[in-house]
Amino acid sequence: MNIEKYTRGGQSIVDTQRSMSRRSFLSASLCTAAGLFLPDGVLAMKKESKRLRFYHTHTGRNLEIKYSPGGYRSVRQALEDFLCDFRTGEKHPLDPRLFDSLYAIQNRCAQQASFEIISGYRSPKTNASLRKNSSGVARKSLHMQGRALDIRASELSTRTLRDLAMQLHDGGVGYYPASDFIHIDTGRKRSW
């Protein structure tokens, strides 16, 4: 490749043909790397929008959004408002991979399920208060980082939801049959 240098204001500038080639390589590399972090099955899906419906069990609020993997930015504010710490009103950025996983689960369902939210974001104060009353609340809960949800689905048994989450989600999956919900988080892949 013939590389020509130009000067502008005393600085050497490499011909844009080389820069574009480098940018293309970096862009392709980033896209490939990003695909490695998507939940299993998301890459195989068409990136069409699906309606994700939510019902918050503690507030009685409903939310319906159009979502597709990678589309978190357009619905971020609505989700952060809906999944705030309902005890304190505090909001926190949420990990988009949670919603990519819910999209993958919804994509696998024959019927349009509504995700029932038991717990979204928790402030450190709320988490500490819950820990005093329950041994099942982690001291360093990923709920405090916006990286965990406790859910169930209206059209699925908790066991089926757990099985789908374990197949399609690339993070932690906890199963709480006595309380009728599952926990998903974007920590390391594990189950309990």
Side-chain angles (χ1 to χ4, degrees), residues 86-104:
F86 70 91
R87 292 170 181 89
T88 66
E90 291 177 58
K91 298 175 189 173
H92 192 277
L94 303 168
D95 191 329
R97 293 176 295 169
L98 292 168
F99 306 101
D100 291 348
S101 291
L102 295 180
Y103 175 95

Side-chain angles (χ1 to χ4, degrees), residues 50-57 60-65 79 82-83 99 102-103 105-118 149-158 161 164 180-182:
K50 281 213 172 286
R51 293 206 177 275
L52 293 182
R53 295 182 311 164
F54 300 95
Y55 169 74
H56 200 296
T57 61
R61 292 177 55 205
N62 292 291
L63 176 68
E64 184 173 300
I65 59 169
L79 286 168
F82 185 77
L83 295 167
F99 306 101
L102 295 180
Y103 175 95
I105 290 168
Q106 182 63 62
N107 203 51
R108 187 68 68 89
C109 296
Q111 297 179 346
Q112 178 73 30
S114 179
F115 292 103
E116 297 177 12
I117 304 297
I118 288 81
L149 295 172
D150 294 340
I151 60 171
R152 57 181 162 245
S154 61
E155 302 296 325
L156 301 172
S157 71
T158 308
L161 180 59
L164 284 170
D180 192 32
F181 74 88
I182 71 163

Side-chain angles (χ1 to χ4, degrees), residues 133-167:
N133 299 317
S134 173
S135 61
V137 177
R139 184 171 46 88
K140 294 184 178 183
S141 172
L142 291 176
H143 285 279
M144 295 187 298
Q145 298 174 28
R147 297 179 56 202
L149 295 172
D150 294 340
I151 60 171
R152 57 181 162 245
S154 61
E155 302 296 325
L156 301 172
S157 71
T158 308
R159 179 185 299 271
T160 301
L161 180 59
R162 183 239 7 228
D163 293 345
L164 284 170
M166 287 178 67
Q167 291 171 16

